[in-house]
Structure formats: structure tokens, C-alpha cells
């Protein structure tokens, strides 16, 4: 009579296979929807945050590590502006805004494809810098700073 334990190796094999399928499904659920390294930034940006006229500073790209990506614009007039930002890939992106070397504010965007806006007042004209960064790299980001409309 065969031992009652002879089914265990087969059961263990099936359990391991089932566990592997469940683990793969769980990992797929946690993976970013966008493959950042292979993403076509202009194509992604066209749907995520299309360029618009009147922006004083805008940018889009890939954050592949924790290094800041800094862009600047000279002679930006004083006034009230809207910073619209978005990102994809998981985590959060941060956008630090400074004027003439002095920090003004920092805004963030959850990297789930939603658009975030922040109102920014420039008290004087000058050189504006926006740096994009994240501790959740890699991710895609886009932002646009434009004069506030209707105020």
C-alpha cells in the first residue's frame, strides 16, 4: 500500500506554482503603468499635459534618479501664476520654485496621472528657477508655469 505521504511532493509542487502565479499578479499590480525608461516623453506629454501658449516656463522629462532637474527663465515679470504639474510612474514628484536665488515654494504631484495646480505669486521680476525631483524615481514629469487667467 502506498504511503499516504506520497501526494505531498505533488501538492507542494502545485502550491509553489500557485504561489508564483499569485506573487506575479501582485507584483504586476504594483508596477507603474508607464515604463519610464522606454517612454516617449513628447508622446506622453501630449496626453498628460499638452503644451499651451503663454507659459513662462515648462518642461517634461524623465527623473531616473534622485538628482534635481533644473530649468530657468530670465526676466519673468512679477505677478500671479499657476503651476500645473503631473507625473506618472508611481510615488510623487516635487517642484521647487525660486526667484532670483531665493526659494518661494514647493509643489508636489502624485504620480498617478492626475494634474495638480498651485498658485504662485512672484513679488518682483527676475530669474525664475523650477527644479523637478523625486525620491520615487524613476518617473515621468511635466509642468507648466503660466500667468493666472481672469484675475
Amino acid at each position: 500500500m502506498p504511503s499516504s505521504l506520497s501526494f505531498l511532493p505533488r501538492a507542494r509542487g502545485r502550491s509553489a506554482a500557485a504561489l508564483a502565479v499569485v506573487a506575479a499578479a501582485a507584483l504586476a499590480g504594483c508596477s507603474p503603468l508607464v515604463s519610464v525608461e522606454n517612454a516617449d516623453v513628447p508622446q506622453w506629454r501630449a496626453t498628460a499635459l499638452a503644451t499651451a501658449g503663454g507659459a513662462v516656463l515648462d518642461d517634461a522629462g524623465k527623473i531616473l534618479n534622485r538628482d534635481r532637474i533644473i530649468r530657468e527663465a530670465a526676466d519673468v515679470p512679477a505677478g500671479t501664476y499657476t503651476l500645473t504639474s503631473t507625473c506618472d510612474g508611481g510615488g510623487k514628484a516635487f517642484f521647487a520654485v525660486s526667484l532670483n536665488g531665493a526659494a518661494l515654494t514647493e509643489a508636489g504631484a502624485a504620480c498617478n496621472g492626475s494634474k495638480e495646480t498651485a498658485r504662485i505669486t512672484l513679488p518682483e521680476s527676475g530669474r525664475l528657477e523650477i527644479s523637478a525631483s523625486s525620491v520615487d524615481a524613476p518617473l515621468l514629469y511635466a509642468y507648466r508655469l503660466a500667468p493666472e487667467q481672469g484675475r
Side-chain angles (χ1 to χ4, degrees), residues 21-33:
V21 169
V22 170
L27 287 173
C30 296
S31 297
L33 297 176

Side-chain angles (χ1 to χ4, degrees), residues 22 30 39 69-71 74 80 95 113 123 126 136:
V22 170
C30 296
I69 298 170
I70 302 170
R71 301 291 181 251
T80 304
F95 304 94
D136 300 311

Side-chain angles (χ1 to χ4, degrees), residues 80-147:
T80 304
Y81 294 82
T82 300
L83 177 66
T84 305
S85 58
T86 189
C87 61
D88 244 327
K92 193 166 185 173
F94 298 96
F95 304 94
V97 181
S98 62
L99 180 66
N100 297 323
L104 284 180
T105 190
E106 187 171 276
C111 294
N112 57 13
S114 64
K115 291 183 184 122
E116 305 287 338
T117 59
R119 188 174 188 212
I120 298 173
T121 301
L122 304 182
E124 61 189 30
S125 298
R127 183 180 51 82
L128 183 80
E129 279 187 1
I130 298 179
S131 68
S133 64
S134 178
V135 296
D136 300 311
L139 56 85
L140 298 172
Y141 74 93
Y143 66 83
R144 173 179 54 240
L145 183 72

Side-chain angles (χ1 to χ4, degrees), residues 10 14 18 37-38 41 44 72 74 85 97 103 106 128 140 146:
R10 281 181 278 156
R14 282 188 218 124
E37 291 83 3
N38 300 319
V41 174
W44 171 79
E72 66 178 58
S85 58
V97 181
E106 187 171 276
L128 183 80
L140 298 172

